[in-house]
Amino acid sequence: MYYVDKYPQAKTPLLTWYTEFLKEEFKNFNQLKAKYGNASIVGQNRVIFNIKGNDFRLIVSVNFKQLAAYIIWFGTHKEYDKINVETIEFDVKILNYKVK
């Protein structure tokens, strides 16, 4: 809920992506790309998703062998342009976040 509270205008599209993504079991990037045509893979199994059209970007680390994923970063397209997608670290603020 951290990113939903931080970016309320992205709430519905982000939660829609999350709900849909949880239902899938992608065994490789090609399967993921077939579902999410705008997804891009970079670095060490990091996948970039466009959320709410192209207003927001979501970086997810995907382990296809273990069918596991976690969100590394989420923000506006403008914020995304200022980061290095291959090296940005997991946003630890999520761990201490208290739901309002």
Side-chain angles (χ1 to χ4, degrees):
M1 299 312 287
Y2 173 77
Y3 289 121
V4 169
D5 288 342
K6 185 174 180 181
Y7 301 99
Q9 64 275 34
K11 179 180 181 175
T12 299
L14 185 58
L15 291 177
T16 299
W17 173 89
Y18 179 76
T19 303
E20 290 175 357
F21 192 83
L22 284 179
K23 294 176 185 175
E24 301 291 336
E25 291 187 358
F26 301 111
K27 295 191 169 116
N28 57 54
F29 181 69
N30 290 336
Q31 288 180 350
L32 187 147
K33 184 78 170 168
K35 170 87 176 170
Y36 298 99
N38 66 2
S40 303
I41 193 165
V42 295
Q44 303 171 2
N45 291 332
R46 291 180 175 207
V47 179
I48 313 306
F49 296 92
N50 293 329
I51 304 294
K52 194 176 182 254
N54 202 19
D55 293 348
F56 294 90
R57 293 288 177 96
L58 174 66
I59 304 171
V60 178
S61 178
V62 180
N63 184 323
F64 295 104
K65 288 182 181 179
Q66 295 182 342
L67 300 176
Y70 69 91
I71 293 173
I72 295 175
W73 184 90
F74 180 75
T76 66
H77 191 100
K78 187 175 183 179
E79 292 168 329
Y80 173 85
D81 288 341
K82 296 177 183 177
I83 66 168
N84 182 330
V85 68
E86 293 184 21
T87 60
I88 192 159
E89 296 185 15
F90 172 74
D91 191 348
V92 295
K93 293 177 199 154
I94 295 170
L95 300 175
N96 298 321
Y97 183 70
K98 305 283 191 248
V99 178
K100 295 177 184 177

